[in-house]
Amino acid sequence: MKHATLAPKIHSDILKDHLMTISLSRSARRFLSCVAAATPLLAAMPLTATSANAADMTVKAPVVAPVPLWNGFYIGAHGGYGMGSSRLVDPSFAFAQDRFTMDTKGALAGAQVGANWQFDNIVVGAELDLSWASIKGNRPFDPANPILSGLSVSYQALATGTGRIGYAFDNVLAYAKGGVAWANVAYQAYVGTFAPLDVNHQRTGLTGGVGLEYALTSNLSARLEYDYLYFGPAAIALNTRISTQNVDHDLHLVKLGVNYRFNGDAIVARY
């Protein structure tokens, strides 16, 4: 009887062991499946973290915006040619019967200094220039007509102070200018006689002009300019100190020049 009781018990223990083995096998398979599914995620996590850290450590490069091309203070030099006329009117007819006009022409050379401020395509500025001049006119002395001969006029120096406004087409600037002009003028009478009369006078007048300027580099530019100068009537005594004559002058100047801007290549960085 004892052996019969032990037999079912042994059979039950074997069955339990078999069922436990199957359960463990299923658990192992489930664990291995979870590990297999998690492995790519675990492998990607360090890369993701590294990329995030690298992105956080990246220093943003500054956005560099160049200063507008025509901005800046500049100096330059110019040369050119001038033509004009000087008109004499004698109200008392003591020196000339009516009007007398004498043409003038000649070369000039000098320097300029100024500054520009650019707002998008609009450029405004101011400039001062000074020129040595050799612009002359004369009428040789004629003994048969001494009143209207033996005269000469010459410009020895010219200067202008002007404001400018222009429109920039990238590296080309078209502009207009206007302001005040000054001239040192020598007016002579009785030239070629034993008693010549020399009247040097300083004249202040008005000027206006237009020009084109081309940027060769960020700092250096070349320009072509036309200027008109007018000096209104002024009384000078060419014959006697009692009677005076009114003389006015005008000039047309064509100038070719170069300018160097000191901060044309400056940059401003924005973060």
Side-chain angles (χ1 to χ4, degrees):
M1 293 294 296
K2 184 177 181 180
H3 290 285
T5 304
L6 291 174
K9 182 179 180 181
I10 292 172
H11 180 75
S12 176
D13 291 341
I14 292 172
L15 182 59
K16 288 180 180 180
D17 291 342
H18 180 69
L19 292 175
M20 185 177 295
T21 301
I22 292 174
S23 178
L24 290 173
S25 177
R26 289 177 179 175
S27 299
R29 285 199 300 271
R30 289 176 181 175
F31 176 77
L32 291 176
S33 298
C34 292
V35 170
T39 298
L41 297 175
L42 294 174
M45 285 178 63
L47 296 177
T48 304
T50 303
S51 301
N53 292 336
D56 292 339
M57 294 175 63
T58 302
V59 178
K60 293 182 179 180
V63 178
V64 179
V67 166
L69 177 65
W70 297 101
N71 264 10
F73 292 91
Y74 63 87
I75 59 172
H78 64 264
Y81 192 80
M83 299 179 63
S85 60
S86 295
R87 289 168 293 275
L88 181 146
V89 177
D90 190 352
S92 65
F93 301 102
F95 183 79
Q97 287 80 6
D98 192 1
R99 296 175 179 267
F100 175 77
T101 300
M102 187 162 42
D103 295 331
T104 56
K105 59 184 178 180
L108 71 154
Q112 64 271 357
V113 60
N116 289 322
W117 295 269
Q118 184 170 352
F119 306 93
D120 294 327
N121 295 95
I122 303 300
V123 180
V124 296
E127 182 177 282
L128 176 66
D129 71 34
L130 177 64
S131 303
W132 163 86
S134 181
I135 302 174
K136 302 177 180 180
N138 65 80
R139 178 171 291 191
F141 178 72
D142 181 3
N145 187 9
I147 297 297
L148 296 179
S149 65
L151 298 171
S152 73
V153 61
S154 65
Y155 299 87
Q156 300 171 341
L158 297 168
T160 64
T162 56
R164 303 201 312 169
I165 183 168
Y167 190 89
F169 304 87
D170 294 327
N171 59 342
V172 176
L173 174 64
Y175 63 89
K177 60 188 295 187
V180 179
W182 172 88
N184 180 15
V185 186
Y187 205 106
Q188 295 178 313
Y190 307 111
V191 177
T193 70
F194 64 91
L197 178 62
D198 191 351
V199 180
N200 284 340
H201 58 299
Q202 316 296 318
R203 299 300 308 275
T204 301
L206 299 174
T207 182
V210 294
L212 282 175
E213 192 164 356
Y214 181 80
L216 303 172
T217 69
S218 58
N219 296 96
L220 188 66
S221 60
R223 72 181 187 183
L224 178 65
E225 183 176 289
Y226 162 78
D227 295 323
Y228 174 73
L229 284 67
Y230 177 69
F231 304 96
I236 61 175
L238 294 176
N239 188 24
T240 68
R241 297 300 175 183
I242 299 174
S243 175
T244 60
Q245 292 75 42
N246 293 324
V247 178
D248 69 312
H249 313 278
D250 67 2
L251 283 173
H252 302 268
L253 307 179
V254 177
K255 298 188 289 187
L256 182 64
V258 293
N259 288 326
Y260 183 87
R261 291 182 307 282
F262 288 101
N263 57 344
D265 59 350
I267 58 174
V268 175
R270 296 195 302 268
Y271 291 86

